[in-house]
Amino acid sequence: MSSSLALDALIDALKCLPGVGQKSAQRMALHLIERDQAGARQLANTTLEALEKVSHCVYCRNFADTEICRICADQKRDNSLLCIVETPTDVLAIEASGAYRGLYFVLLGRLSPLDGYGPEELGLEALEARFKQADVCEVILATSATVEGDITAQFIADIAARYELGTSRLARGIPLGGELEYVDSGTLSRALSGRQQYQG
Amino acid sequence: MSSSLALDALIDALKCLPGVGQKSAQRMALHLIERDQAGARQLANTTLEALEKVSHCVYCRNFADTEICRICADQKRDNSLLCIVETPTDVLAIEASGAYRGLYFVLLGRLSPLDGYGPEELGLEALEARFKQADVCEVILATSATVEGDITAQFIADIAARYELGTSRLARGIPLGGELEYVDSGTLSRALSGRQQYQG
């Protein structure tokens, strides 16, 4: 038996978060009520606001507060580059690297007919519409390094070829700080075949 | 740059949860918006409701929706037993064990004068008022097994002695499933000195 039904309800609700079970939910609920009521109120309000405001950008399918997301609307970005990613998380990861100033297109999945993800679900028609626009010059295929990701990249590369656009794929190789001893053989084989001229 | 300010605000707000950093907050926010909008709405509403409703029980100082918490108000519980714990989490842990049917008193801390926790902060006056009531017979000192927890237990035992109440302390010993090889020497020493008659 617990002492408060409202607290029980909060613990239960927190369990909807990924990776949060009973113990973590208890710790979170008690922390919110005991030590950080301002944070708890902020969390509740921002959640409701996000639910109300956030939808998908009509250009890139990423999350947006308005019809066009902040990245697509930014005049300073290079609109000749279009980077195709699978999920909004991938956009956050690439933005965090600070190495890219172009635009994005978010597939919200990858080709996987058995799971019901065909060209339509990935918005490939909208993507093709963007290829037709004069401003895109290079398409960067940043789908994941898995079999399905590779197939998706190939499929999109074929569409891009029809519009005579340059396509590229993210480099495969040894990660920064990676020791050869611990790198898997597949990665090592790709790193060897993709070796580059040494620039001292 | 992120595509949505509302999403950024949600990610920031999620970081107020204990053990949640930037990466976990991102994952949680995207999960809530992408896959579990009902859960997100539930989470926001229960948080607001808990903030509004939850306060401390006037009898046991545990969290409660009403003036008296559900445990104190339960007529089926044995009101001759009073278990003294440090935090509401401890109550949840003891309740989960299913081995206790008495009442609680929550100190919301332990004696630690340097941190500003004296007898007043722990509500020891209210505790003494309960000792005066005829119905309490045994006081179970379930403060933590630390130096401060022991001092707190001793302090409360001294008060209970004035009212000629029986006091007990949770047994110390080897945890269930514990292997001797991995048990620390302090615990092993307590387990030896507190050994019990074998009941086959």
Side-chain angles (χ1 to χ4, degrees):
Chain A
M1 180 188 254
S2 124
S3 64
S4 156
L5 287 176
L7 196 66
D8 283 1
L10 177 57
I11 292 171
D12 264 348
L14 280 164
K15 284 195 269 185
C16 80
L17 294 172
V20 176
Q22 177 68 23
K23 286 253 169 185
S24 309
Q26 266 181 23
R27 198 159 62 98
M28 287 175 171
L30 292 172
H31 174 87
L32 289 178
I33 298 300
E34 240 175 333
R35 300 207 193 93
D36 196 3
Q37 299 218 349
R41 190 158 285 120
Q42 178 79 357
L43 175 58
N45 292 333
T46 50
T47 305
L48 290 175
E49 200 180 315
L51 282 173
E52 192 191 321
K53 278 192 179 171
V54 176
S55 59
H56 289 284
C57 169
V58 291
Y59 280 155
C60 71
R61 313 217 315 160
N62 197 355
F63 291 120
D65 303 335
T66 46
E67 201 184 348
I68 298 165
C69 79
R70 286 175 71 218
I71 297 177
C72 288
D74 187 357
Q75 297 291 332
K76 287 191 202 130
R77 298 193 75 114
D78 181 355
N79 60 6
S80 68
L81 285 174
L82 187 64
C83 181
I84 320 280
V85 295
E86 290 176 7
T87 67
T89 327
D90 299 338
V91 175
L92 292 177
I94 295 178
E95 285 296 299
S97 79
Y100 182 68
R101 295 291 304 159
L103 299 177
Y104 295 92
F105 187 87
V106 183
L107 300 169
L108 301 175
R110 49 191 160 189
L111 277 187
S112 173
L114 286 178
D115 300 322
Y117 280 97
E120 207 164 297
E121 283 72 26
L122 303 185
L124 295 191
E125 247 174 66
L127 182 61
E128 199 166 341
R130 286 192 73 168
F131 287 167
K132 283 182 196 160
Q133 289 167 12
D135 34 7
V136 180
C137 296
E138 185 184 341
V139 176
I140 302 172
L141 301 160
T143 50
S144 58
T146 59
V147 173
E148 285 164 344
D150 282 339
I151 291 170
T152 312
Q154 183 60 54
F155 195 90
I156 295 171
D158 291 345
I159 303 173
R162 279 185 238 145
Y163 298 92
E164 290 169 6
L165 296 173
T167 48
S168 58
R169 187 104 170 89
L170 291 188
R172 308 281 179 89
I174 297 155
L176 243 65
E179 297 195 49
L180 288 200
E181 192 178 346
Y182 301 109
V183 168
D184 66 289
S185 54
T187 303
L188 207 51
S189 141
R190 293 295 290 260
L192 271 169
S193 66
R195 66 189 181 277
Q196 286 158 1
Q197 184 73 37
Y198 184 65
Q199 291 160 334
Chain B
M1 180 189 255
S2 124
S3 64
S4 155
L5 288 177
L7 197 66
D8 283 1
L10 177 57
I11 292 170
D12 263 347
L14 281 163
K15 284 196 270 184
C16 81
L17 295 171
V20 176
Q22 176 69 25
K23 286 253 169 182
S24 308
Q26 265 180 26
R27 198 158 62 97
M28 287 174 171
L30 292 173
H31 173 86
L32 289 178
I33 298 299
E34 238 174 333
R35 298 204 198 96
D36 196 3
Q37 299 219 347
R41 191 159 283 119
Q42 178 79 356
L43 175 59
N45 292 334
T46 51
T47 305
L48 291 175
E49 200 180 316
L51 283 173
E52 193 191 319
K53 278 195 180 170
V54 176
S55 61
H56 290 285
C57 170
V58 291
Y59 281 155
C60 71
R61 314 215 315 159
N62 197 355
F63 291 119
D65 303 336
T66 46
E67 203 185 346
I68 298 166
C69 79
R70 286 175 69 219
I71 297 177
C72 288
D74 188 355
Q75 298 290 334
K76 286 192 205 131
R77 297 192 77 112
D78 180 355
N79 60 6
S80 67
L81 285 174
L82 187 65
C83 180
I84 319 278
V85 296
E86 291 177 6
T87 66
T89 328
D90 299 338
V91 175
L92 293 176
I94 295 178
E95 285 296 300
S97 80
Y100 182 67
R101 294 291 305 160
L103 300 176
Y104 294 93
F105 187 87
V106 183
L107 300 169
L108 301 176
R110 49 190 160 191
L111 277 186
S112 172
L114 287 177
D115 300 323
Y117 280 97
E120 207 165 298
E121 283 71 26
L122 303 186
L124 295 192
E125 249 174 65
L127 182 59
E128 203 168 336
R130 287 193 72 168
F131 286 169
K132 283 182 197 161
Q133 291 168 10
D135 35 4
V136 180
C137 296
E138 185 184 343
V139 177
I140 301 172
L141 301 160
T143 52
S144 60
T146 60
V147 174
E148 286 163 342
D150 281 339
I151 292 171
T152 311
Q154 183 59 54
F155 195 89
I156 295 171
D158 290 345
I159 303 174
R162 280 185 236 147
Y163 297 91
E164 290 169 4
L165 296 173
T167 48
S168 58
R169 188 105 171 89
L170 292 188
R172 309 281 179 85
I174 296 156
L176 242 66
E179 298 196 47
L180 288 200
E181 193 179 346
Y182 300 111
V183 169
D184 65 288
S185 54
T187 302
L188 206 52
S189 142
R190 293 294 290 260
L192 271 169
S193 66
R195 66 188 181 279
Q196 285 158 359
Q197 185 74 37
Y198 183 65
Q199 289 159 333

